[in-house]
Amino acid sequence: MTRIFNFSAGPAVLPEEVLHQAQDELLDWHSSGMSVMEMSHRGKEFIAIAEKAEADLRALMNIPANYKVLFLQDGASAQFAMVPMNLLRGKKSADYINTGEWSKKAIKEAKKFCGVNVAATAEPTNFTTAPPQKDWKLDPDAAYVHYTPNETIGGVEFSFVPQTGSVPLVADMSSTILSRPVDVTKFALIYAGAQKNIGPAGLTIVIVREDLLGQALPGTPSMFDYKIHADNGSMYNTPPTYAWYIAGLVFEMLLKKGGLKAMGEVNQHKAGKLYAYIDSTGGFYKNPVEKHSRSWMNVPFTLKDAALDEPFLKGTKAAGLVQLKGHRSVGGMRASIYNAMPEAGVDALIAYMRNFMKQQG
Ligand SMILES: *Cc1c(COP(=O)(O)O)cnc(C)c1O
């Protein structure tokens, strides 16, 4: 068996030890005689798995007791609608920060439910910066402020948590959750699709402050109402049980490895190495993002001539590197280096890039 270095932006690489454990437990979980996939979500075995996963996530992120943790489906994209449906609470508009493709999608969806005030946009820089808070025009009457701490496609990440006073702060953390410590108390709601930095696709985590629940728009379908999910322990209907289980294995492993502080140090080091190499190539490779807004998780880069893209990609598979082609909207390359990408993968990528550049003379 050969494992390849997979730089996919999502679904993405999972920790090898977690996959091994899942394999060991596949046919018979803890002498239950069943696979987790076959268990009733209301049986005592799965309840134990579910509760441990939540407890471990709470420990990892230091989530206070007055926040609910929901294990939902439908991806982060459903949250683009669920956030306004649940958090408008009689208000007419919400503030959004536009830093790229995912922000734009969140804004487009919110406009179906409320007025959207784009309080800051990185569009004038072609989405290569996270706008500093001094440039934001927040509305004190906004229902909430929504931003995307890490833009997965553009590779733009906020190096600060915005201050929004008494206006609830909402974050789409899909591609940065668990990458470093975060002060949950600064947020009213955090959501993340699991397939970037948590586990398999099909699971979406929502962490929401309790006092915001119970005020969904009239007519909100039950499946889109946080309160209904919260009151039912995310088991109003059948949850994505297997993805929940794998996420739990990931949480357990991260705790064993020293938690998010340790992860943050590793991630900063891995990303720092790759950016330092890119910057050292005199423009042969280029990352367009302003230094203080560079993502630790997604590193887009272009080659000095787009005609080199194809030959560059051609050799990657043989070097044991896959999924480096950039997003269709930006071109070039993108290396996603989530928690589960070992440093050896970053080293192998840099070695390949160095070799390729040498071949070009
Ligand atoms: C991937 C991604 C999404 C969309 O996630 P789905 O689970 O496919 O709906 C939304 N926001 C960000 C920041 C992402 O990286």
Side-chain angles (χ1 to χ4, degrees):
M1 182 204 67
T2 328
R3 292 274 294 166
I4 210 156
F5 290 121
N6 173 11
F7 294 91
S8 169
V13 58
L14 284 164
E16 211 169 298
E17 56 266 59
V18 163
L19 295 177
H20 278 300
Q21 190 177 343
Q23 184 178 39
D24 288 345
E25 297 176 344
L26 182 67
L27 283 129
D28 178 12
W29 182 83
H30 294 206
S31 305
S32 65
M34 287 181 274
S35 169
V36 174
M37 273 182 261
E38 302 167 306
M39 291 174 180
S40 162
H41 57 297
R42 305 200 190 278
K44 68 174 186 334
E45 292 93 351
F46 188 75
I47 297 282
I49 289 169
E51 284 177 352
K52 178 162 179 359
E54 179 175 338
D56 283 351
L57 179 62
R58 283 183 178 276
L60 262 181
M61 294 183 71
N62 201 10
I63 301 171
N66 65 323
Y67 285 74
K68 295 287 188 192
V69 178
L70 309 178
F71 292 78
L72 308 180
Q73 309 193 42
D74 289 339
S77 300
Q79 296 308 310
F80 296 162
M82 276 179 88
V83 166
M85 286 172 112
N86 285 270
L87 298 194
L88 282 174
R89 296 163 295 129
K91 302 219 175 212
K92 296 265 171 299
S93 73
D95 285 350
Y96 277 73
I97 311 303
N98 182 7
T99 46
E101 296 301 320
W102 291 116
S103 313
K104 284 192 240 174
K105 286 201 165 158
I107 289 167
K108 190 171 166 215
E109 197 70 5
K111 281 181 175 166
K112 296 176 179 171
F113 301 97
C114 62
V116 168
N117 168 42
V118 176
T121 176
E123 197 154 14
T125 69
N126 199 21
F127 299 109
T128 56
T129 56
Q133 179 143 13
K134 64 172 174 47
D135 299 341
W136 296 20
K137 304 253 181 320
L138 293 175
D139 171 3
D141 285 328
Y144 57 87
V145 179
H146 179 284
Y147 83 119
T148 311
N150 185 63
E151 283 280 359
T152 321
I153 293 171
V156 171
E157 183 151 25
F158 283 81
S159 59
F160 62 94
V161 176
Q163 308 274 337
T164 56
S166 60
V167 180
L169 179 62
V170 175
D172 173 1
M173 283 200 194
S174 294
S175 51
T176 187
I177 192 166
L178 306 182
S179 69
R180 74 200 74 187
V182 53
D183 181 355
V184 173
T185 64
K186 291 186 172 163
F187 298 87
L189 189 149
I190 291 169
Y191 64 89
Q195 70 274 23
K196 285 24 186 296
N197 215 15
I198 297 175
L203 169 71
T204 306
I205 303 271
V206 174
I207 302 164
V208 57
R209 220 175 57 214
E210 244 164 24
D211 60 280
L212 294 163
L213 302 178
Q215 297 172 74
L217 291 179
T220 296
S222 302
M223 284 297 290
F224 277 68
D225 188 331
Y226 294 132
K227 177 125 184 11
I228 288 181
H229 288 295
D231 287 349
N232 289 279
S234 305
M235 296 198 191
Y236 174 71
N237 71 328
T238 316
T241 50
Y242 200 74
W244 191 332
Y245 155 72
I246 298 283
L249 297 185
V250 170
F251 301 153
E252 187 180 354
M253 181 218 58
L254 290 176
L255 281 171
K256 274 195 206 128
K257 284 194 166 172
L260 300 191
K261 187 161 176 292
M263 273 335 292
E265 282 159 14
V266 171
N267 287 327
Q268 187 172 25
H269 175 73
K270 272 166 25 191
K273 219 178 191 180
L274 184 50
Y275 286 118
Y277 172 67
I278 289 170
D279 291 346
S280 76
T281 61
F284 187 88
Y285 299 110
K286 219 168 166 171
N287 168 272
V289 180
E290 222 177 53
K291 281 191 179 160
H292 70 267
S293 304
R294 283 175 163 180
S295 169
W296 292 3
M297 297 280 103
N298 312 96
V299 182
F301 61 92
T302 50
L303 279 70
K304 75 167 183 208
D305 180 352
L308 292 173
D309 288 1
E310 223 184 279
F312 180 91
L313 285 167
K314 220 169 155 192
T316 50
K317 183 82 196 284
L321 316 169
V322 294
Q323 297 285 345
L324 283 161
K325 193 173 162 49
H327 190 271
R328 57 191 181 279
S329 66
V330 285
M333 307 297 148
R334 173 176 50 171
S336 294
I337 51 173
Y338 298 117
N339 284 355
M341 173 58 67
E343 185 170 352
V346 174
D347 290 342
L349 174 59
I350 293 172
Y352 177 79
M353 291 167 76
R354 189 173 275 133
N355 203 28
F356 182 83
M357 185 169 121
K358 211 188 289 165
Q359 281 168 14
Q360 301 306 314

